Structures are given as structure tokens and as C-alpha cells.
Amino acid sequence: MALYRVKVYISYREGILDPQGVAVEKAAHSLGFEKVSNVRVGKFITMNVEAESEEEVKKEIEEMAKRFLVNPVIEEYSYEIEEVK
Amino acid sequence: MALYRVKVYISYREGILDPQGVAVEKAAHSLGFEKVSNVRVGKFITMNVEAESEEEVKKEIEEMAKRFLVNPVIEEYSYEIEEVK
């Protein structure tokens, strides 16, 4: 068994309204950061996964994404896996 | 002026209770993903920034982090900047 460190990035799909992103953008503009645009706020999930191989971790993550982490209708995701030495 | 794509990753500092992370971990375990541990849920913010240089973007991001994006008492952050060609 090896230990893997996983980072999952979840964001709204393009075209999906993101009220938190709109709020952050407005705050930025009203504080003088006017060259900021297209702000989107998503989720950044980190976790440890014990597995026999990176391939197994990949499977776990994709299965978790499908089962409960990601709503594919409105969200998209990507991830990174790194073995912890 | 150039356009830069910025990704900001915000997470709770170690030792700070993260109820959303606890909830995701419990959900994972109860669905049979038992080898998952240490789940933490943070924010993943993407935005475009117009600036003269990457150095200027860096300054903007760090200033925004300080002013309103990040609560340094309980959160830490990192970021990536990429020029949009």
C-alpha cells in the first residue's frame, strides 16, 4: 500500500451562473481592482488516499466524483495525484 | 497590456476545523471509500487580470488576498499565473 495526496478542483461549467464569483468580482471592482474579470469561485478539495497504485487512486477519485463530489450538469472537475514518499 | 489567467487556491490552515471536509470524508466512508482520509475543502478561484507584466499581476493578487480574498488567521493560499496568448 502506498499513500497518495490528491487535489481535486471543481468549478462551474461555462454558462452556469456563479453568484459567488459575481460577488467576488464586484468586491474587487469596488475596492479598486478594476482590471479583474471573469471571476469564478469553485471548490478545492485535498485528501489522502491509500492504494496499491496511482491507477487505483484515479479510479477512486473518478468514482467519488460521479457518486457525490461533482454535479456533472453544472460542474466540471480536474485532479492531480502525487505519491507521498 | 496583456491578459493573464489566474488560479487561486485557498484552504484552511492545518489545525483549523473544516466542517465541510469532515462532511465529505464521512460521505466518502459511508459510500465505501474507506481509504480516504484528511479531507479538506477549500476554494478554487479563477479570474482574468489585465496588466503590463506578470509582476504586476502578482502584486494585484497578493493585495486582493490581503484586502478581502483570504482570512490569514484561518486560511492560507497559493496561486498560479499564466499569460493568455
Side-chain angles (χ1 to χ4, degrees), chain A residues 1 9 31 33 35-46 48-50 60 63-64 67-68, chain B residues 1 9 31 33 35-46 48-50 63-64 67-68:
Chain A
M1 278 287 185
Y9 311 98
L31 289 168
F33 301 96
K35 285 165 189 157
V36 170
S37 62
N38 208 16
V39 181
R40 313 279 285 173
V41 178
K43 274 175 279 185
F44 170 48
I45 303 179
T46 56
N48 294 338
V49 180
E50 256 185 84
E60 288 270 296
E63 190 63 25
M64 277 195 276
R67 296 279 298 280
F68 70 100
Chain B
M1 277 287 185
Y9 311 98
L31 288 169
F33 301 96
K35 285 165 190 156
V36 170
S37 63
N38 209 15
V39 181
R40 312 279 286 172
V41 178
K43 275 176 277 185
F44 169 48
I45 303 179
T46 56
N48 294 339
V49 180
E50 256 185 83
E63 191 63 26
M64 277 195 277
R67 296 280 298 280
F68 70 100

Side-chain angles (χ1 to χ4, degrees), chain B residues 17-66:
Chain B
L17 184 70
D18 169 14
Q20 232 191 318
V22 173
V24 169
E25 186 163 327
K26 276 192 190 155
H29 292 172
S30 73
L31 288 169
F33 301 96
E34 278 151 27
K35 285 165 190 156
V36 170
S37 63
N38 209 15
V39 181
R40 312 279 286 172
V41 178
K43 275 176 277 185
F44 169 48
I45 303 179
T46 56
M47 63 181 87
N48 294 339
V49 180
E50 256 185 83
E52 296 293 352
S53 66
E54 193 169 318
E55 204 42 56
E56 196 188 315
V57 180
K58 235 169 131 164
K59 260 195 186 157
E60 288 271 297
I61 299 301
E62 286 174 14
E63 191 63 26
M64 277 195 277
K66 216 193 317 189

